[in-house]
Amino acid sequence: MTDTALPPAHAPVPNPAPPTPAGRVIGAFLPPVLLGCALLALYAWTRAGLPEHRQFLMPSGQGLWEMAFSKPEIWAELGQRALVTISIAAAGMACSIPIGILLGVFMFRMRLLERAIFPYLVALQSIPILAIIPLIQSALGFGFLPKMLIVAMFTFFSIPTTLLLGLKSLDRGVIDLFRLSNASWWVTLWKAGFPSAAPALFAGLRISAGLAVIGAIVSELFFLAGPGGLGQMLINSKIDFKYEEMYAALIVSSLLSISVYLFFQFLGNRLFADWHGRV
């Protein structure tokens, strides 16, 4: 009778070594830098394909520097207008975030309320904002309030929907454990629901943050009264054929949107990284 062969012993697999600080920096910045270089190359190739008399529509890097970024007065104007734009975006998000969180909590608490409100949330997201701007103008005028309202409409939808998704993902066993401890529904929400829903909520906040600056610029394109922001600079530069200044305002607008997005990512990581890792 032959002996059965024992399976070969396997050595334990060591954990991979943590990346060095230089490796983390390279991993974080190298991919977007490479993609940015590819986009710049595509821009240069597209500009080179234009007829010579139309190349002013896509300024070169040298033209941007000489006609925009090398001038202190342009930097001063960009800074002043960026403050106006970010104030509109911040005011709109200050309105949409608390209302969105409260609505998400109430929709989670009362299933009937969720069924009643959710179709209207989808309808609000589906309505073209530009189509109802004349109605907003007629009702609220041309001041700061309608601009803030447009930003709130841009940023509202993702907040209650992502929070509701995160709350519904709460483990049923955790809920039963709190019930065995005779904890109230609000205690369960605060100590279990919100920590569990934090990654989904901050994903919605990052989406809203990126849209906030876009909503502020769109509102400035249609509400030209009051202090002018980057949106007004964009339209004024286009009317005056100052395309270098228009592209400078576009670049600063993009940097503002990215900065607000990264701020909410940093805030989520600082608050909840111990529970969920990086959000």
Side-chain angles (χ1 to χ4, degrees), residues 92-108 117 121 152 155-164 167 194 201 205 208:
M93 290 204 70
C95 177
S96 64
I97 289 176
I99 296 176
I101 290 176
L102 286 175
L103 185 60
V105 169
F106 286 127
M107 289 169 64
F108 176 67
I117 292 180
L121 284 177
T155 60
F156 181 74
F157 176 77
S158 63
I159 298 172
T161 52
T162 54
L163 176 59
L164 182 63
L167 291 174
F194 278 135
L201 175 61
L205 291 176
S208 297

Side-chain angles (χ1 to χ4, degrees), residues 163-247:
L163 176 59
L164 182 63
L165 174 64
L167 291 174
K168 285 186 172 182
S169 301
L170 180 61
D171 187 79
R172 191 71 189 179
V174 175
I175 298 177
D176 293 338
L177 180 63
F178 273 80
R179 286 179 177 174
L180 288 174
S181 302
N182 292 323
S184 65
W185 187 87
W186 291 106
V187 171
T188 305
L189 174 70
W190 182 254
K191 293 190 175 181
F194 278 135
S196 176
L201 175 61
F202 271 87
L205 291 176
R206 292 199 301 271
I207 295 171
S208 297
L211 293 174
V213 176
I214 298 174
I217 291 174
V218 169
S219 69
E220 292 172 11
L221 296 178
F222 290 89
F223 298 90
L224 299 178
L230 291 171
Q232 288 192 25
M233 186 175 181
L234 282 168
I235 193 67
N236 292 339
S237 301
K238 182 178 183 299
I239 292 173
D240 296 336
F241 293 97
K242 298 178 179 178
Y243 283 90
E244 290 82 7
E245 296 182 15
M246 186 185 76
Y247 273 76

